[in-house]
Amino acid sequence: MNLPKLGVTLYSFTPYFHARDYGFEDLVRIVGERGLGPGLEVVGFQSIKGFPKLPDGFAAGFRRLVDDAGLELSCLGANADAGLRQDRLLTEDELVDYMLAQLEAAHTLGFPVVRVQHSVTPDLMERLLPHAERLDLTLGMEIHSPHSVRHPKMQALLERYEKLGSPRLGFIPDWGASLTRLPPSLLSTYRAKGVPAGLLDAFDVQWNAFHREPLIRDDAEQGARFRRMREINQTYGGDDVSVRIGTNSVGLFGHMDPADWKTIMPWVVHVHGKFYDIDANGDEPSIPHDILLRDLVQAGYQGYISTEWEGWHWNDTDDPFDMVAAQHRLSERVLASLDASPAGS
Amino acid sequence: MFRERIIVDGSLAVTPTGYQVAVRLPWYRALPVSSIEQLDISLDGDPAPAHAITIDVNGRERSLRDAAGDFDDVWYVLDDAIVHVAAPDRRPDGDREHDVEVTLGVRIPYLPVAGRPLVMTERCVKTMPALRAAPATTTPDPATTTDAGPEPTKETAK
């Protein structure tokens, strides 16, 4: 059976990179040495100074580096920076130009897929399509918490995709949009750092209450959830640091049913294998890899799953390389069982 | 994110007109200079007025008002920015430790909620001695950036 391919985004190693412990080239080399590929994803504005402009000779050197590491380019993370200016959002024409420069860079670097973000509307996606064709790129709209497959923005895109019928447009599921519970290490880490247990319990209870509510459909509902978390922080004696635990829980940890990715599966062009924890059994306690991988395999998805460890937002003790390796072991175990079972064939 | 890294350790220095300190971006990727929505700094509890603050990014020193308009200039995620404070009467004493506090609010340009991008505000407090003279150059060390292309960097592997 043809299975999805594994890989990693260098975003997983942000703490080392930001601390200047490892440079961009070091990370690519180590990903190869530790077998964390073969897929390699890069966020342009993180890894490349001056992006989307590329220094002379950069692309050739980059491709050589990737080849030498035994890796394959999977996806370039572009950013739809509609809020570039302080005084106003970019106009549609400005945002198209802004995205186009990043598409050109992706092409020059040799990436097959570009991640785009939700400020790109169906109309703008349609305007970018001829450029994607010209540059031999596939554009994937990331579906990231707090959005879901059922969010009106994503439904509008799906409708447009079905009308245009181009294989160069699709979606990138981010598994952080479909958690089943808060990451256990989030709560235990902050408890150990002295955040009051009552406050953490209240955040947890509220997240679980949101989990039983309908998925958010607009920004006003998201804003209301931010406010609710701030109220809880105040009620339970939190401070300007602890409040972020609550508000980030709204932005990072989505409530979609993991099985609902099935509804967009034919349009999946890349996957962000977001995860936070690996427990003593080698499982991810809040992101059900058995369901997520089963549905990708059953849909015949053969693209990359970019492992994206984001536990570093609070976990500064585990090594990001070790965490990604552990998630790959989990993924390989699940994929092997699916490969062996008749239901997965 | 990375709030403890905002103030670069050991970067407080006395200048002819006041003091300076190196700051890092508390975010994972480069942001436009115009994303700086708030930059407050105080020395030993004495806050600098906004008009006394300039910020040097990419070797260009600018007022906070000018920085707000610099959407086509980028603060790279690995680069220090140097915050200069004009405080001729309150220059730090080079012989003792000082408390430095920086609050940095950056707009995250791809996360608009109801038409308004999120602003992440982080506060960092550190105690450090003041160097008696500012380092000769404020441009980033090329060994710590990637603009030289994908050659192996000189950094020490962790």
Side-chain angles (χ1 to χ4, degrees), chain A residues 112-151:
Chain A
V113 175
V114 176
R115 179 278 309 268
V116 299
Q117 297 172 306
H118 66 89
S119 291
V120 176
T121 61
D123 284 350
L124 298 195
M125 209 66 166
E126 186 168 346
R127 284 175 64 178
L128 289 173
L129 177 56
H131 297 285
E133 288 166 345
R134 172 173 62 86
L135 297 167
D136 194 18
L137 294 168
T138 299
L139 308 183
M141 174 63 65
E142 182 174 26
I143 304 181
H144 188 286
S145 171
H147 296 134
S148 66
V149 293
R150 299 194 191 285
H151 192 279

Short mmCIF file of all heavy atoms in Angstrom, two decimals, chain A residues 112-151:
data_model
loop_
_atom_site.label_atom_id
_atom_site.label_comp_id
_atom_site.label_asym_id
_atom_site.label_seq_id
_atom_site.Cartn_x
_atom_site.Cartn_y
_atom_site.Cartn_z
N PRO A 112 7.41 22.14 -3.73
CA PRO A 112 6.23 21.80 -4.55
C PRO A 112 4.94 22.42 -4.04
O PRO A 112 3.99 22.63 -4.80
CB PRO A 112 6.17 20.27 -4.45
CG PRO A 112 6.79 19.95 -3.11
CD PRO A 112 7.82 21.02 -2.85
N VAL A 113 4.88 22.67 -2.72
CA VAL A 113 3.63 23.14 -2.09
C VAL A 113 3.93 24.40 -1.27
O VAL A 113 5.01 24.53 -0.69
CB VAL A 113 3.06 22.04 -1.15
CG1 VAL A 113 1.83 22.54 -0.39
CG2 VAL A 113 2.70 20.78 -1.93
N VAL A 114 2.97 25.32 -1.27
CA VAL A 114 3.08 26.52 -0.44
C VAL A 114 1.89 26.58 0.51
O VAL A 114 0.73 26.46 0.08
CB VAL A 114 3.11 27.80 -1.30
CG1 VAL A 114 3.13 29.05 -0.43
CG2 VAL A 114 4.32 27.79 -2.22
N ARG A 115 2.18 26.75 1.79
CA ARG A 115 1.11 26.95 2.78
C ARG A 115 0.66 28.40 2.73
O ARG A 115 1.48 29.31 2.82
CB ARG A 115 1.66 26.63 4.18
CG ARG A 115 0.70 26.80 5.36
CD ARG A 115 0.49 28.21 5.92
NE ARG A 115 1.68 28.95 6.25
CZ ARG A 115 2.27 28.96 7.45
NH1 ARG A 115 1.77 28.26 8.41
NH2 ARG A 115 3.36 29.68 7.66
N VAL A 116 -0.64 28.61 2.60
CA VAL A 116 -1.18 29.97 2.70
C VAL A 116 -2.15 30.04 3.88
O VAL A 116 -2.55 29.01 4.43
CB VAL A 116 -1.85 30.45 1.40
CG1 VAL A 116 -0.87 30.47 0.25
CG2 VAL A 116 -3.05 29.59 1.05
N GLN A 117 -2.47 31.26 4.28
CA GLN A 117 -3.27 31.45 5.50
C GLN A 117 -4.55 32.21 5.20
O GLN A 117 -4.72 32.79 4.13
CB GLN A 117 -2.42 32.20 6.54
CG GLN A 117 -1.19 31.39 6.95
CD GLN A 117 -0.25 32.20 7.83
OE1 GLN A 117 0.17 33.28 7.45
NE2 GLN A 117 0.09 31.69 9.00
N HIS A 118 -5.42 32.25 6.20
CA HIS A 118 -6.83 32.52 5.97
C HIS A 118 -7.18 33.93 5.55
O HIS A 118 -8.34 34.18 5.21
CB HIS A 118 -7.65 32.09 7.19
CG HIS A 118 -7.36 32.90 8.42
ND1 HIS A 118 -8.03 34.05 8.72
CD2 HIS A 118 -6.45 32.74 9.41
CE1 HIS A 118 -7.57 34.55 9.86
NE2 HIS A 118 -6.60 33.77 10.30
N SER A 119 -6.23 34.87 5.55
CA SER A 119 -6.56 36.18 4.99
C SER A 119 -6.68 36.12 3.47
O SER A 119 -7.18 37.06 2.84
CB SER A 119 -5.51 37.22 5.38
OG SER A 119 -5.57 37.50 6.75
N VAL A 120 -6.20 35.03 2.88
CA VAL A 120 -6.37 34.83 1.44
C VAL A 120 -7.78 34.27 1.22
O VAL A 120 -8.09 33.15 1.61
CB VAL A 120 -5.29 33.86 0.89
CG1 VAL A 120 -5.54 33.58 -0.57
CG2 VAL A 120 -3.91 34.46 1.09
N THR A 121 -8.60 35.09 0.60
CA THR A 121 -10.01 34.73 0.37
C THR A 121 -10.13 33.82 -0.85
O THR A 121 -9.17 33.67 -1.62
CB THR A 121 -10.82 36.00 0.10
OG1 THR A 121 -10.25 36.62 -1.08
CG2 THR A 121 -10.73 36.98 1.26
N PRO A 122 -11.30 33.24 -1.09
CA PRO A 122 -11.49 32.45 -2.32
C PRO A 122 -11.14 33.25 -3.58
O PRO A 122 -10.51 32.73 -4.50
CB PRO A 122 -12.97 32.07 -2.26
CG PRO A 122 -13.28 32.01 -0.80
CD PRO A 122 -12.46 33.11 -0.18
N ASP A 123 -11.54 34.53 -3.61
CA ASP A 123 -11.22 35.35 -4.80
C ASP A 123 -9.71 35.46 -4.99
O ASP A 123 -9.20 35.38 -6.11
CB ASP A 123 -11.80 36.76 -4.66
CG ASP A 123 -13.30 36.79 -4.90
OD1 ASP A 123 -13.84 35.77 -5.37
OD2 ASP A 123 -13.91 37.84 -4.60
N LEU A 124 -8.98 35.68 -3.88
CA LEU A 124 -7.53 35.84 -4.00
C LEU A 124 -6.88 34.50 -4.37
O LEU A 124 -5.92 34.46 -5.14
CB LEU A 124 -6.93 36.37 -2.69
CG LEU A 124 -7.41 37.75 -2.25
CD1 LEU A 124 -6.49 38.32 -1.17
CD2 LEU A 124 -7.47 38.73 -3.42
N MET A 125 -7.40 33.42 -3.82
CA MET A 125 -6.89 32.10 -4.18
C MET A 125 -7.05 31.89 -5.69
O MET A 125 -6.14 31.39 -6.35
CB MET A 125 -7.66 31.05 -3.39
CG MET A 125 -6.91 29.80 -3.07
SD MET A 125 -5.53 30.05 -1.94
CE MET A 125 -5.18 28.38 -1.50
N GLU A 126 -8.19 32.29 -6.20
CA GLU A 126 -8.43 32.14 -7.63
C GLU A 126 -7.47 33.00 -8.44
O GLU A 126 -6.99 32.59 -9.50
CB GLU A 126 -9.90 32.48 -7.95
CG GLU A 126 -10.27 32.19 -9.39
CD GLU A 126 -11.78 32.24 -9.65
OE1 GLU A 126 -12.58 32.25 -8.68
OE2 GLU A 126 -12.16 32.29 -10.85
N ARG A 127 -7.19 34.20 -7.93
CA ARG A 127 -6.23 35.08 -8.64
C ARG A 127 -4.82 34.50 -8.60
O ARG A 127 -4.01 34.77 -9.50
CB ARG A 127 -6.23 36.47 -8.01
CG ARG A 127 -7.45 37.29 -8.39
CD ARG A 127 -7.51 38.61 -7.66
NE ARG A 127 -6.40 39.52 -8.00
CZ ARG A 127 -6.27 40.74 -7.51
NH1 ARG A 127 -7.19 41.21 -6.67
NH2 ARG A 127 -5.25 41.50 -7.84
N LEU A 128 -4.49 33.74 -7.53
CA LEU A 128 -3.14 33.18 -7.42
C LEU A 128 -2.99 31.90 -8.26
O LEU A 128 -1.86 31.50 -8.57
CB LEU A 128 -2.82 32.86 -5.95
CG LEU A 128 -2.60 34.08 -5.05
CD1 LEU A 128 -2.44 33.64 -3.59
CD2 LEU A 128 -1.36 34.89 -5.48
N LEU A 129 -4.12 31.29 -8.63
CA LEU A 129 -4.05 30.00 -9.33
C LEU A 129 -3.20 30.02 -10.61
O LEU A 129 -2.34 29.16 -10.78
CB LEU A 129 -5.47 29.47 -9.61
CG LEU A 129 -5.56 28.17 -10.41
CD1 LEU A 129 -4.78 27.04 -9.75
CD2 LEU A 129 -7.03 27.76 -10.60
N PRO A 130 -3.40 31.00 -11.51
CA PRO A 130 -2.55 30.99 -12.71
C PRO A 130 -1.06 31.11 -12.39
O PRO A 130 -0.22 30.55 -13.11
CB PRO A 130 -3.04 32.19 -13.54
CG PRO A 130 -4.05 32.90 -12.72
CD PRO A 130 -4.44 32.05 -11.55
N HIS A 131 -0.74 31.81 -11.31
CA HIS A 131 0.67 31.92 -10.92
C HIS A 131 1.18 30.60 -10.38
O HIS A 131 2.33 30.22 -10.63
CB HIS A 131 0.84 33.04 -9.88
CG HIS A 131 0.46 34.39 -10.40
ND1 HIS A 131 1.27 35.09 -11.27
CD2 HIS A 131 -0.65 35.14 -10.21
CE1 HIS A 131 0.67 36.24 -11.58
NE2 HIS A 131 -0.50 36.28 -10.95
N ALA A 132 0.31 29.88 -9.65
CA ALA A 132 0.70 28.56 -9.16
C ALA A 132 0.98 27.63 -10.35
O ALA A 132 1.95 26.87 -10.34
CB ALA A 132 -0.40 27.99 -8.27
N GLU A 133 0.15 27.74 -11.37
CA GLU A 133 0.35 26.90 -12.57
C GLU A 133 1.67 27.27 -13.25
O GLU A 133 2.48 26.40 -13.60
CB GLU A 133 -0.83 27.07 -13.53
CG GLU A 133 -2.09 26.39 -13.01
CD GLU A 133 -3.35 26.81 -13.75
OE1 GLU A 133 -3.32 27.83 -14.48
OE2 GLU A 133 -4.38 26.12 -13.58
N ARG A 134 1.90 28.57 -13.40
CA ARG A 134 3.12 29.04 -14.06
C ARG A 134 4.36 28.62 -13.28
O ARG A 134 5.39 28.25 -13.87
CB ARG A 134 3.06 30.58 -14.15
CG ARG A 134 4.32 31.25 -14.63
CD ARG A 134 4.10 32.75 -14.85
NE ARG A 134 3.72 33.46 -13.63
CZ ARG A 134 4.59 33.94 -12.74
NH1 ARG A 134 5.89 33.77 -12.91
NH2 ARG A 134 4.18 34.59 -11.66
N LEU A 135 4.27 28.60 -11.95
CA LEU A 135 5.44 28.32 -11.11
C LEU A 135 5.49 26.86 -10.66
O LEU A 135 6.34 26.48 -9.84
CB LEU A 135 5.42 29.24 -9.88
CG LEU A 135 5.52 30.73 -10.20
CD1 LEU A 135 5.18 31.58 -8.97
CD2 LEU A 135 6.91 31.08 -10.72
N ASP A 136 4.57 26.05 -11.17
CA ASP A 136 4.52 24.62 -10.84
C ASP A 136 4.40 24.40 -9.32
O ASP A 136 5.15 23.62 -8.72
CB ASP A 136 5.77 23.91 -11.39
CG ASP A 136 5.61 22.39 -11.37
OD1 ASP A 136 4.46 21.91 -11.27
OD2 ASP A 136 6.63 21.68 -11.44
N LEU A 137 3.45 25.11 -8.73
CA LEU A 137 3.23 25.01 -7.28
C LEU A 137 1.80 24.56 -6.98
O LEU A 137 0.89 24.80 -7.79
CB LEU A 137 3.44 26.39 -6.63
CG LEU A 137 4.85 26.97 -6.66
CD1 LEU A 137 4.81 28.44 -6.24
CD2 LEU A 137 5.79 26.18 -5.76
N THR A 138 1.62 23.95 -5.83
CA THR A 138 0.29 23.68 -5.30
C THR A 138 0.11 24.53 -4.05
O THR A 138 1.03 24.62 -3.22
CB THR A 138 0.16 22.18 -4.94
OG1 THR A 138 0.35 21.41 -6.13
CG2 THR A 138 -1.21 21.89 -4.35
N LEU A 139 -1.04 25.19 -3.95
CA LEU A 139 -1.30 26.08 -2.82
C LEU A 139 -2.24 25.41 -1.82
O LEU A 139 -3.31 24.95 -2.20
CB LEU A 139 -1.93 27.40 -3.31
CG LEU A 139 -1.20 28.12 -4.44
CD1 LEU A 139 -1.91 29.44 -4.76
CD2 LEU A 139 0.26 28.36 -4.09
N GLY A 140 -1.82 25.37 -0.58
CA GLY A 140 -2.65 24.75 0.44
C GLY A 140 -3.05 25.75 1.51
O GLY A 140 -2.18 26.35 2.15
N MET A 141 -4.36 25.92 1.68
CA MET A 141 -4.85 26.77 2.77
C MET A 141 -4.77 25.98 4.07
O MET A 141 -5.36 24.91 4.19
CB MET A 141 -6.31 27.17 2.50
CG MET A 141 -6.97 27.92 3.64
SD MET A 141 -6.22 29.51 4.00
CE MET A 141 -6.56 30.39 2.46
N GLU A 142 -4.02 26.51 5.02
CA GLU A 142 -3.91 25.83 6.30
C GLU A 142 -5.22 25.99 7.08
O GLU A 142 -5.76 27.09 7.18
CB GLU A 142 -2.76 26.43 7.10
CG GLU A 142 -2.54 25.76 8.44
CD GLU A 142 -1.30 26.28 9.15
OE1 GLU A 142 -0.91 27.44 8.90
OE2 GLU A 142 -0.73 25.53 9.96
N ILE A 143 -5.72 24.88 7.59
CA ILE A 143 -6.87 24.94 8.50
C ILE A 143 -6.33 24.74 9.90
O ILE A 143 -5.95 23.64 10.29
CB ILE A 143 -7.94 23.89 8.16
CG1 ILE A 143 -8.38 24.04 6.70
CG2 ILE A 143 -9.14 24.04 9.10
CD1 ILE A 143 -9.47 23.07 6.27
N HIS A 144 -6.22 25.84 10.61
CA HIS A 144 -5.53 25.90 11.91
C HIS A 144 -6.55 26.36 12.95
O HIS A 144 -7.41 27.17 12.67
CB HIS A 144 -4.38 26.92 11.77
CG HIS A 144 -3.44 26.99 12.94
ND1 HIS A 144 -3.79 27.58 14.12
CD2 HIS A 144 -2.18 26.54 13.08
CE1 HIS A 144 -2.76 27.49 14.96
NE2 HIS A 144 -1.76 26.86 14.35
N SER A 145 -6.40 25.84 14.16
CA SER A 145 -7.23 26.33 15.26
C SER A 145 -7.14 27.87 15.28
O SER A 145 -6.06 28.41 15.08
CB SER A 145 -6.70 25.77 16.58
OG SER A 145 -7.35 26.39 17.66
N PRO A 146 -8.22 28.59 15.57
CA PRO A 146 -9.55 28.12 15.96
C PRO A 146 -10.48 27.81 14.80
O PRO A 146 -11.67 27.60 15.03
CB PRO A 146 -10.08 29.30 16.79
CG PRO A 146 -9.48 30.50 16.13
CD PRO A 146 -8.13 30.05 15.63
N HIS A 147 -9.95 27.75 13.58
CA HIS A 147 -10.81 27.39 12.45
C HIS A 147 -10.99 25.88 12.41
O HIS A 147 -10.30 25.13 13.10
CB HIS A 147 -10.20 27.89 11.14
CG HIS A 147 -10.14 29.38 11.06
ND1 HIS A 147 -9.01 30.06 10.64
CD2 HIS A 147 -11.05 30.32 11.39
CE1 HIS A 147 -9.24 31.36 10.70
NE2 HIS A 147 -10.47 31.54 11.15
N SER A 148 -11.91 25.45 11.58
CA SER A 148 -12.19 24.03 11.40
C SER A 148 -12.67 23.83 9.97
O SER A 148 -12.87 24.82 9.25
CB SER A 148 -13.29 23.58 12.37
OG SER A 148 -14.51 24.23 12.02
N VAL A 149 -12.86 22.59 9.57
CA VAL A 149 -13.37 22.36 8.21
C VAL A 149 -14.75 22.99 8.02
O VAL A 149 -15.14 23.31 6.90
CB VAL A 149 -13.46 20.85 7.88
CG1 VAL A 149 -12.08 20.24 7.81
CG2 VAL A 149 -14.34 20.09 8.86
N ARG A 150 -15.48 23.19 9.15
CA ARG A 150 -16.84 23.72 9.03
C ARG A 150 -16.89 25.25 9.12
O ARG A 150 -17.97 25.84 9.01
CB ARG A 150 -17.73 23.13 10.13
CG ARG A 150 -17.83 21.64 10.02
CD ARG A 150 -18.97 21.09 10.86
NE ARG A 150 -18.87 19.64 10.95
CZ ARG A 150 -19.20 18.82 9.95
NH1 ARG A 150 -19.66 19.29 8.81
NH2 ARG A 150 -19.08 17.51 10.10
N HIS A 151 -15.76 25.90 9.35
CA HIS A 151 -15.76 27.36 9.44
C HIS A 151 -16.18 27.94 8.09
O HIS A 151 -15.76 27.45 7.03
CB HIS A 151 -14.37 27.86 9.83
CG HIS A 151 -14.34 29.30 10.22
ND1 HIS A 151 -14.30 30.32 9.29
CD2 HIS A 151 -14.37 29.91 11.44
CE1 HIS A 151 -14.29 31.49 9.94
NE2 HIS A 151 -14.33 31.25 11.24
#
